[in-house]
Amino acid sequence: MEDRLREALFVQRRCERVEPTGRIERIVAAARARADRVFCGQTVECLGDLGAGRLPAWSLI
């Protein structure tokens, strides 16, 4: 997945005629972390209060 993110970022930068920066890895890591948070949030939302209440407290941090 990260390889596809990295490649998409390079393609976008090329299309915009912008030199890729040394921050590519940070951008990819931030995108991955955001996707994880969104996915987990949506999953917990689908569980509802009862289902989310059954999850261990540490998993909701």
Side-chain angles (χ1 to χ4, degrees):
M1 179 176 115
E2 287 182 27
D3 290 338
R4 292 190 322 188
L5 272 174
R6 198 175 289 108
E7 182 59 30
L9 184 56
F10 277 118
V11 168
Q12 178 185 358
R13 297 299 226 158
R14 272 188 238 123
C15 289
E16 294 171 351
R17 299 185 194 283
V18 176
E19 266 310 300
T21 65
R23 297 179 17 205
I24 297 292
E25 293 306 317
R26 282 185 24 193
I27 294 168
V28 169
R32 182 185 63 237
R34 183 179 187 288
D36 288 348
R37 283 192 307 273
V38 168
F39 173 77
C40 290
Q42 290 173 341
T43 301
V44 169
E45 218 174 86
C46 288
L47 293 174
D49 292 336
L50 181 61
R54 293 180 179 177
L55 293 174
W58 59 264
S59 68
L60 298 176
I61 296 174

